Amino acid sequence: MKIGIVGCAGRMGRMLVAATLAGDGCELAGGTELAGGRHIGADLGALAGLEPAGIAVTDDAAALFEAADAVIDFTVATATERHAELAGQYGTAMVLGTTGLEAAAERAIEKASRSAAIVQAANFSLGVNLLIGLGRQVAGILGDDYDIEILEMHHRHKVDAPSGTALALGRAAAAGRGVDPDAVFDRVRDGHTGARTKGRIGFATLRGGDVIGDHTVIFAADGERLELAHKATSRAVFVKGALHAAIWSSSQPPGLYGMGDVLGFS
Ligand code: NAD
């Protein structure tokens, strides 16, 4: 099957190009980058640190969506909205890992999913998807005597906060408790905040160095604390999951799927 990579010069993009070129049963349909960027025209294989692949980076996302069976998007929020529109227009399956999306992009994704299979996940690792399920289960068992706090740390280049994974963990915990996430999230705290309100789900964000992604869900009560933690030590886990999702998506009917559907434990 033919896989296209939008944002092919990014941290995730280059690894996805390399994995697609090396992958069994998949072929690289092409890659795009931001128009006017310095990578336009570069060879995709060389960009990924491999032998030249004879395919140049372009800024023509429409042509890529037309040519590919599935397109993988780890870019920026503004680009993802346009890419979702193209997925819908061409009926091309899309795997979407970009985080920090605005409501307009989420609407475009929902609309595209009526005519294309879209897999959207804040995190493509098996471990984090298990953590999301465990967090939901534990939140459902423990009452609100257990304060839920979510701590995350990422590398210094990350542009959105809290991370998409932290928010997904928070939504799962809220679902476990049967509450509306928007009504209970404390995404930031600063200054004289007053005492913690029972039932809230708090977030704390750390940024620095080259940390790929650490997440801890804390259930803190009087006298004990339960912590569920995941640490990604290589982006290869996200690449493997995204490629698996792309292959899976190409045989699915239109719809909006999560990584739980791909892994078979949603
Ligand atoms: P990055 O900044 O290294 O890469 C993004 C790339 O997208 C850049 O090369 C940029 O030039 C390119 N881009 C921007 N606009 C574009 C456009 N219009 N068309 C084509 N390309 C365009 O970032 P990254 O670390 O690779 O992460 C990208 C996104 O993926 C972030 O939102 C990050 O949070 C998310 N992410 C998700 C997961 C997951 O498992 N879901 C894992 C890692 C990263």
Side-chain angles (χ1 to χ4, degrees), residues 173-185:
R177 275 194 173 166
V179 295
D180 172 10
D182 292 333
V184 296
F185 276 8

Side-chain angles (χ1 to χ4, degrees), residues 26-160:
C26 53
E27 189 187 319
L28 186 63
T32 66
E33 259 299 326
L34 188 59
R38 65 193 168 95
H39 297 292
I40 302 295
D43 183 90
L44 274 164
L47 192 66
L50 304 171
E51 293 294 307
I55 312 170
V57 179
T58 76
D59 59 8
D60 192 348
L64 186 60
F65 273 87
E66 192 172 14
D69 298 309
V71 170
I72 305 180
D73 178 315
F74 285 74
T75 59
V76 294
T78 43
T80 298
E81 187 178 340
R82 170 78 183 131
H83 293 150
E85 286 165 6
L86 291 170
Q89 187 179 330
Y90 291 102
T92 309
M94 181 171 170
V95 171
L96 209 162
T98 305
T99 59
L101 302 180
E102 303 286 343
E106 298 287 3
R107 278 195 299 274
I109 292 162
E110 197 280 317
K111 190 172 172 205
S113 72
R114 293 177 217 156
S115 44
I118 313 269
V119 181
Q120 182 181 21
N123 197 301
F124 281 89
S125 90
L126 174 60
V128 158
N129 283 283
L130 282 171
L131 181 64
I132 289 171
L134 288 170
R136 178 167 39 225
Q137 201 181 341
V138 173
I141 295 168
L142 299 175
D144 61 9
D145 284 345
Y146 285 75
D147 299 324
I148 302 177
E149 294 283 306
I150 296 167
L151 174 67
E152 60 106 335
M153 180 163 187
H154 281 83
H155 54 88
R156 61 170 72 95
H157 304 289
K158 186 163 178 61
V159 295
D160 54 310

